[in-house]
Amino acid sequence: MPMIELAEALALVEGTAAPLPPRRQRLLDACGHQLAVGVVADCDSPPWDRAMMDGFAVRNADCTGAGGATPTAVELDVVVDLAAGDVTQLVIRDGTCGRIMTGAPIPPGAEAVVPIECALDGTAGAHAGSRVRLADPRFRAGQHMARQGAAFRRGQEVLPAGTVLRAAEIGLAAEAGATHVVARPRVRVAMLSTGSELVECDCEPGFGQTRNSNGPMLAAAVSLLGGEAIPLGLAADKPEAIRAAVAQGLAADILLLSGGVSAGDLDLVPEIFRQCGVEKVFHKVRLKPGKPVWFGRLVRGDGEPDTLVFGLPGNPASTLVCFELFARPAIQILAGRPRDSWHLPHERARLVAPCKAAPDRPVYLPCRLARNAESLMATPLPWTGSSDLLGMAGAEGLIALPAGGGRFDAGAEVDVVRRW
Ligand code: AMP
Ligand code: MG
């Protein structure tokens, strides 16, 4: 298959990926997931009129005179003590009040709460059976209580379909009685690094060995998108080793494999994908870095979602660029996220220093980005090529130069992709 254009490859990824079917899940397992069915409250919030201060639950008429700029102290009989969780049938009548704590239900007959700080003459500790003297210069009828249903009503949809469940949404769903929700599951993404030269990053590499930087990098990139990273470790360039690990990775929603997809003797991966039943969608894209990238899918049928498979070139900077261009939209689509979040945002920027384009393919170069009064300014970072992660690590974006060769001078307007 000849190299295809980047735009065509992106369209093929978008056309192949589909949102994962929603699933009923425990609320506590659904953090970061997107609701497929709205959450409807099974209760009012607050569920009853609730005290919002520690103090005394009073009748409005008793305390109107105790308010204003020149309050006249009012003396009331305390007839009940109510901590949060306590309830009473006792009715607060004129001339009486209840001692009440934040979170307790307002007793029948009471209409407002006077804070404990407004008790005079050492009566702040007054309990049932004693009297309290109150003067509240800021008194307003109905103060310091939250009315039943003021926040939401039983039967009200408090979280619509499409909502992403973050901390506040999880708390709200819990309050509304949703122990389970129907939501898109987190996208499970397996990552496998192939190459007989690779050792895990906690090892001291011997001569000829290379630390596996792609595995941790891809796991981080997946986590940053809210996916579940499933690291599969290393596989040597041996068909049996790669085949066994690929078979394991195909249980995930997406398999990201790095290394072994170019045209070298040990680039066994495309053939192994074929043997594992993974259909090729494309191999090789007109792109620098990242030309050897491979994409395909394992079709399961029976309504089961396909597993999407990316063979990413082994050089770490190529792996990262290919992840951002191809794997990112796939993860976003499977997660059911809106189209405007599929790709990193493109913007126009002016070059601060010259850059060289490639004759045959679009080039992505790491850069810093800063905005001045007129425009976004892109400063190319020193970068030695597709094995150099140092330049990528400091980058705030990528300069995207079209194919055609030639030099882009300082001041030229170019496309940039904002930081991942
Ligand atoms: P390949 O795509 O397998 O031909 O690998 C291209 C280059 O990337 C070689 O120098 C590999 O050693 C290097 N490489 C491959 N996989 C990794 C990895 N997981 N971490 C760091 N470097 C890698
Ligand atoms: Mg290799």
Side-chain angles (χ1 to χ4, degrees), residues 216-243:
M217 178 172 67
L218 292 172
V222 166
S223 299
L224 286 171
L225 289 179
E228 179 187 341
I230 306 170
L232 298 179
L234 305 176
D237 291 313
K238 299 260 186 308
E240 325 75 68
I242 299 178
R243 209 177 297 121

Side-chain angles (χ1 to χ4, degrees), residues 194-198 237 258-262 266-267 314:
T194 72
S196 299
E197 76 282 24
L198 300 178
D237 291 313
S258 81
V261 289
S262 32
L266 290 179
D267 292 336

Side-chain angles (χ1 to χ4, degrees), residues 136-150:
D136 181 352
R138 287 194 289 270
F139 184 83
R140 287 168 294 102
Q143 73 177 9
H144 302 317
M145 52 188 267
R147 289 273 180 204
Q148 177 176 348

Side-chain angles (χ1 to χ4, degrees), residues 4 43 48 156 278 285 338 348 409:
I4 63 171
C43 57
W48 17 261
Q156 183 179 333
V278 184
V285 176
R348 298 293 281 171
D409 288 320

